[in-house]
Amino acid sequence: MGNGASAGSSSQLTLEGGEMLDVAKIKTLVPELRQQLKQKDLEVERLQNQLLLTKQNLLERESELGKLKGEVHKLKSVLQVTVHKDGKPDILSIIQEEATMAGQEVGRMKKQGVSGESSGQPNIDIKHYDKDFRSKQLIKDAILDNDFLKNLDSTQVREIVDCMYEKQIRTGQCIVKESEAGQHLFVSAAIFLHGSPNILTTSYDGIPACKLGRFYACRCSSSGLAVTDSRIWVLDRRVFQAIMMKTGLQRQEENIRFLKCVPLLKNLPSPKLAKIADVLEIDFFHEGEYITREGAVGNSFFIINKGEVRVTQKIQGHDNPQEVRKLKRGDYFGEKALLSEDRRTANVIAMPPGVECLTVDRDSFNQLIGDLNELREKDYGDEARGAQRSDGSSPLEVISPTPFLEAEHSYVRLEDLEILATLGMGGFGRVELVQLSTDRNNTFALKCLKKKHIVDTRQQEHIYSEKRIMMEARSPFIARLYRTFKDKKYVYMLMEVCLGGELWTILRDRGNFDDITTRFCVACVIEAFEYLHGKGIIYRDLKPENLLLTNQGYVKLVDFGFAKKIGSGRKTWTFCGTPEYVAPEIILNKGHDQAADYWSLGILMFELLTGSPPFSGSDPMKTYNIILKGIDVIEFSKKISRNAHNLIKRLCRDNPAERLGYGKNGIVDIKKHKWFQGFDWEGLKTQTSFVPPIVPKVKGPADFSNFDSYPKDIDIPPDETSGWDADF
Ligand code: 6JR
């Protein structure tokens, strides 16, 4: 005792920095600090509440907005119908245009298909015209200044430059004539005004002149009038198409020819080689350059096209890597980091004078090449490290032959049918609900196509193809076509009726679908696509407008106007589809195949989940330009879940070869995606154990209440007797 400042007395504390604190003083401060803390807590709580309220408010606003949008959609659709009733469809386009100009989205208007003539591939002479260096440069500059054409490769640009021919134009002369068939816009003739390298194009039906590039998007015919006497360069659309096709084919053929000489790949079936040829990139490495570095991560597989490489490795007992072998043209390397190791097992160095390699990235390698026995069993003398996988060599792709099909309802005659109501309407004609006068319980959908319209829009071949494909199709996810008729004015298709209505109508009324509904609809489409692709058929016109609900609520694909049998490993070049849904390779005329359907599947998912497709402009040209910018610049609404977002992005890859579904497992890869986790594919196929998410109300075989109402047809088309439909 006695010593006031003893260690036992705790009246003072020494802080780390040597500062002294009076404990008694602190004790008096504690209640005050507690009070302050409590106040801060309260404030935090208040702020949190505010945040919650704002969030709630936001959600409410969002839902209000959704409802409003739904109402706008309904109104627009009613308008669409009323306008047709008045027989003045022009008003609608004015409304639509004004809405677009005001910056609003053109929501629930039915989307129209677009197609180039169906007269097969252009088989025309690609003629070159001599021109001086300056003119060539001018044309080239114009091409590189154009949003579309700048995507072409140098061979294609050179061909276009060579094929343009000169034309003298006098002041006031009309460069492009206007025709009545109007709506479709696409590059058909590129005209370069002398002096200012702008590109003018006409749409491919020869309709209003339209400038691409700097003075883009005037739809008026006056833009086709020459202001002064001038010299222009012209390229016919058919030549343009022929160039695109020729160069595309050439590149593919060259690559395939080389791949056939690569010992590793020479036994693969041609369709597979074609796919590999599609994903190849050509890379050049200077002498001495390290193509792979031992220990580094690697994501590419290489085939040597030109030159030689040296392979070196660290070997015990040596300070420097030692050469283990040389590889030459036709040899490959880089498989190990992709198969079993994550890292490169050796250095691969380009030898003089440099090396050209065909490069395949990791994804494409896994999809197309990775399961080859030779690769898996490859042994560089390193204790059989390669053979880790079970056999998985890719099955040969075969197109199933057409089985003998029974002809249901082939006895039905046109005279036996009575029209009950109109189920759909378009430029082509109408789809009527009809019943058999001899059996009123038997109803069908009768598609009536105006022959004059078919001839005017050169769709004869598409109509035949539609008939052939639909007559043969036997899938629960594709509407049946029983038989066809014809008379002087129309050709007719007698089809299975789906009284649940169009998915488009339901989407319009609901605004958007939830994940479950969307998954179901997309799954039905996948089943239909699996069936079609298995027969070498591409569909090319996916959209909610072409999906019908059966009475039970299953989804069926209708309208095969753009479907085409191309076989596997083949491509086609005819431009067609619906602008919002066409894939970039179709726009760029690079040739397209099944992968274009996978692209559209991603667009469909997006539209069903949000109510609008991701790429949409006020006219087709604008839409195409937005599509070419890619899916990565599109903002994804919160309505789209993480897994759905991921799947959409995997489907909407710019490069068709990278799309999910295009790999060696085909469409199964899409079915296995996380978004479909737990989905009962078997139940869907058999249509038994499944309760569809939307079960429509259908009271009987003649109940058309799930369809919008359409006015009676007042427009009677003229006779068309050219005889193109002899075999229809
Ligand atoms: N060894 C690439 C060529 C050899 C060779 C021996 C080894 C490994 P990668 O070099 O694939 O990149 O394609 O790893 O992706 O004798 N190459 N000759 N690799 N590894 C490689 C091959 C190619 C570099 C070789 C290679 C070994 C030996 C022991 C582990 C343990």
Side-chain angles (χ1 to χ4, degrees):
M1 294 275 156
N3 192 341
S6 73
S9 135
S10 50
S11 64
Q12 284 203 323
L13 282 175
T14 311
L15 293 183
E16 230 174 304
E19 194 188 341
M20 307 286 268
L21 279 180
D22 191 321
V23 176
K25 227 180 190 174
I26 291 173
K27 273 186 184 163
T28 59
L29 276 174
V30 166
E32 201 182 311
L33 283 170
R34 281 220 178 101
Q35 186 65 26
Q36 276 182 15
L37 201 67
K38 213 167 156 189
Q39 266 176 2
K40 292 276 173 216
D41 272 347
L42 278 172
E43 207 168 316
V44 168
E45 209 180 308
R46 199 171 51 81
L47 283 171
Q48 270 174 347
N49 280 339
Q50 251 180 16
L51 196 72
L52 264 173
L53 270 174
T54 323
K55 269 190 188 162
Q56 215 166 348
N57 205 329
L58 202 71
L59 280 174
E60 274 166 21
R61 289 278 156 101
E62 252 184 16
S63 115
E64 266 171 39
L65 192 71
K67 274 187 209 149
L68 259 163
K69 273 190 183 165
E71 272 162 35
V72 170
H73 293 157
K74 272 188 208 163
L75 264 167
K76 276 187 184 156
S77 142
V78 172
L79 257 171
Q80 190 174 18
V81 175
T82 357
V83 167
H84 281 301
K85 266 189 188 129
D86 294 347
K88 290 183 232 144
D90 292 3
I91 298 173
L92 186 73
S93 44
I94 295 168
I95 295 168
Q96 186 180 346
E97 230 156 62
E98 277 175 0
T100 323
M101 267 152 57
Q104 299 164 7
E105 57 168 333
V106 185
R108 303 276 88 208
M109 302 297 297
K110 280 202 186 174
K111 299 178 281 297
Q112 276 216 341
V114 172
S115 143
E117 75 269 31
S118 59
S119 52
Q121 311 302 354
N123 189 12
I124 56 169
D125 261 359
I126 301 184
K127 236 196 195 152
H128 288 184
Y129 296 87
D130 274 345
K131 43 186 85 65
D132 59 35
F133 177 76
R134 255 187 58 110
S135 305
K136 282 187 183 177
Q137 198 57 40
L138 182 128
I139 299 172
K140 201 173 140 195
D141 287 348
I143 292 175
L144 298 178
D145 192 39
N146 177 277
D147 272 349
F148 278 104
L149 303 175
K150 70 177 178 209
N151 296 293
L152 307 184
D153 70 28
S154 54
T155 337
Q156 291 168 326
V157 173
R158 210 176 314 129
E159 278 284 313
I160 292 179
V161 172
D162 287 342
C163 290
M164 298 209 91
Y165 59 90
E166 199 183 333
K167 208 175 163 181
Q168 298 288 339
I169 298 284
R170 254 169 273 116
T171 314
Q173 190 179 341
C174 192
I175 299 171
V176 197
K177 290 212 178 63
E178 210 173 332
S179 97
E180 65 289 29
Q183 306 130 9
H184 320 145
L185 294 166
F186 197 62
V187 180
S188 66
I191 300 163
F192 300 87
L193 287 174
H194 185 60
S196 56
N198 298 308
I199 293 178
L200 265 171
T201 65
T202 61
S203 76
Y204 60 57
D205 288 326
I207 14 147
C210 164
K211 278 186 197 178
L212 280 177
R214 266 179 273 152
F215 297 94
Y216 167 60
C218 24
R219 285 178 59 179
C220 48
S221 57
S222 61
S223 62
L225 289 182
V227 189
T228 54
D229 284 2
S230 34
R231 218 159 49 108
I232 57 167
W233 296 101
V234 185
L235 180 73
D236 297 338
R237 189 185 74 85
R238 288 173 60 79
V239 178
F240 174 75
Q241 218 181 12
I243 292 174
M244 298 303 288
M245 201 177 140
K246 191 185 87 174
T247 45
L249 275 174
Q250 260 171 0
R251 205 175 17 203
Q252 204 193 26
E253 272 165 17
E254 251 165 53
N255 285 343
I256 293 177
R257 213 175 312 128
F258 172 66
L259 292 178
K260 278 194 180 139
C261 311
V262 174
L264 172 72
L265 308 171
K266 66 173 191 291
N267 293 326
L268 288 179
S270 299
K272 184 101 174 209
L273 286 177
K275 278 192 175 180
I276 299 175
D278 267 354
V279 300
L280 284 181
E281 304 243 348
I282 296 174
D283 286 320
F284 184 81
F285 301 93
H286 295 282
E287 60 172 279
E289 198 173 335
Y290 277 63
I291 305 173
T292 72
R293 211 174 268 278
E294 191 173 354
V297 286
N299 287 308
S300 306
F301 171 74
F302 305 87
I303 300 168
I304 304 173
N305 193 18
K306 277 186 199 133
E308 282 187 305
V309 298
R310 239 158 43 87
V311 182
T312 70
Q313 248 185 340
K314 276 192 211 104
I315 296 206
Q316 259 187 349
H318 294 269
D319 288 343
N320 294 325
Q322 300 295 302
E323 179 172 318
V324 288
R325 72 191 76 243
K326 284 200 178 98
L327 301 172
K328 55 176 192 320
R329 177 175 158 86
D331 288 339
Y332 62 88
F333 60 89
E335 79 289 357
K336 293 197 117 199
L338 305 188
L339 281 177
S340 46
E341 321 284 337
D342 273 342
R343 297 186 178 265
R344 297 293 187 195
T345 55
N347 303 301
V348 177
I349 309 154
M351 289 173 64
V355 174
E356 193 181 283
C357 287
L358 305 181
T359 317
V360 178
D361 67 29
R362 184 183 278 271
D363 280 349
S364 306
F365 174 86
N366 285 333
Q367 301 273 10
L368 298 166
I369 308 174
D371 58 357
L372 289 177
N373 282 330
E374 178 183 332
L375 283 186
R376 287 186 287 115
E377 283 155 16
K378 182 91 189 173
D379 184 358
Y380 294 101
D382 52 311
E383 309 116 11
R385 269 175 167 251
Q388 286 172 348
R389 293 214 218 156
S390 62
D391 187 77
S393 52
S394 119
L396 276 176
E397 287 180 74
V398 276
I399 299 169
S400 52
T402 315
F404 173 77
L405 299 169
E406 82 292 0
E408 262 174 274
H409 304 297
S410 58
Y411 57 89
V412 175
R413 293 175 310 164
L414 198 53
E415 308 85 85
D416 302 334
L417 300 171
E418 286 168 10
I419 296 182
L420 297 174
T422 301
L423 302 177
M425 223 165 80
F428 61 87
R430 314 158 65 84
V431 180
E432 312 278 12
L433 175 66
V434 295
Q435 73 184 2
L436 264 182
S437 45
T438 49
D439 174 7
R440 293 189 188 281
N441 277 327
N442 228 337
T443 56
F444 302 92
L446 185 71
K447 190 164 167 179
C448 317
L449 300 145
K450 296 175 189 157
K451 292 202 316 190
K452 174 82 169 52
H453 187 266
I454 294 170
V455 173
D456 286 351
T457 53
R458 288 178 285 179
Q459 298 297 308
Q460 296 93 317
E461 209 166 288
H462 281 161
I463 302 290
Y464 269 109
S465 157
E466 176 170 18
K467 172 180 171 173
R468 266 195 309 269
I469 292 171
M470 276 193 99
M471 286 287 272
E472 280 182 15
R474 291 289 186 282
S475 155
F477 302 96
I478 296 173
R480 285 284 308 273
L481 168 63
Y482 300 118
R483 64 158 300 174
T484 59
F485 311 99
K486 57 178 176 257
D487 58 26
K488 280 187 205 152
K489 295 182 189 301
Y490 294 94
V491 290
Y492 305 87
M493 295 176 160
L494 186 70
M495 296 184 301
E496 166 186 9
V497 71
C498 301
L499 291 172
E502 287 177 20
L503 204 61
W504 181 85
T505 319
I506 304 169
L507 182 63
R508 175 196 66 197
D509 294 346
R510 295 194 179 186
N512 66 294
F513 291 165
D514 58 19
D515 238 27
I516 293 170
T517 310
T518 307
R519 186 175 302 125
F520 176 83
C521 298
V522 173
C524 292
V525 175
I526 290 175
E527 285 297 326
F529 278 3
E530 185 168 24
Y531 175 84
L532 291 171
H533 292 179
K535 296 180 73 161
I537 295 165
I538 53 173
Y539 179 65
R540 299 198 291 187
D541 201 17
L542 186 62
K543 53 183 168 181
E545 288 87 330
N546 286 344
L547 299 173
L548 290 187
L549 279 196
T550 64
N551 301 12
Q552 292 74 36
Y554 285 91
V555 174
K556 286 197 193 231
L557 219 54
V558 293
D559 203 334
F560 279 63
F562 294 156
K564 185 173 187 177
K565 191 159 195 158
I566 59 165
S568 77
R570 292 267 208 56
K571 285 187 197 294
T572 178
W573 271 264
T574 320
F575 186 97
C576 67
T578 296
E580 286 80 354
Y581 275 75
V582 296
E585 66 272 21
I586 301 182
I587 299 172
L588 294 172
N589 222 326
K590 285 181 170 174
H592 59 273
D593 57 15
Q594 282 81 355
D597 279 344
Y598 301 135
W599 167 279
S600 67
L601 209 53
I603 306 295
L604 180 75
M605 273 182 73
F606 193 108
E607 177 165 6
L608 296 184
L609 288 168
T610 65
S612 335
F615 308 109
S616 174
S618 49
D619 67 56
M621 274 304 183
K622 288 198 181 114
T623 303
Y624 299 146
N625 272 323
I626 302 171
I627 292 171
L628 293 180
K629 296 201 171 87
I631 193 79
D632 289 336
V633 300
I634 297 295
E635 211 179 302
F636 276 61
S637 120
K638 275 185 276 156
K639 289 176 198 145
I640 303 180
S641 67
R642 207 163 54 99
N643 286 336
H645 182 145
N646 180 279
L647 179 53
I648 292 170
K649 289 216 163 176
R650 299 277 282 121
L651 291 168
C652 295
R653 300 284 284 264
D654 290 336
N655 181 351
E658 290 172 10
R659 288 178 204 147
L660 202 64
Y662 199 69
K664 66 172 190 299
N665 302 324
I667 213 158
V668 172
D669 283 340
I670 304 179
K671 291 183 170 184
K672 281 192 185 152
H673 188 273
K674 238 182 155 181
W675 189 59
F676 282 112
Q677 204 163 289
F679 187 81
D680 180 11
W681 288 99
E682 279 313 305
L684 181 76
K685 243 189 213 142
T686 51
Q687 303 204 344
T688 47
S689 57
F690 221 102
V691 184
I694 305 171
V695 180
K697 284 193 197 98
V698 180
K699 293 192 207 80
D703 176 5
F704 50 86
S705 59
N706 290 311
F707 290 84
D708 286 335
S709 45
Y710 297 91
K712 283 230 149 49
D713 203 357
I714 37 166
D715 169 39
I716 295 166
D719 290 358
E720 198 290 322
T721 52
S722 66
W724 66 271
D725 55 341
D727 297 325
F728 197 80

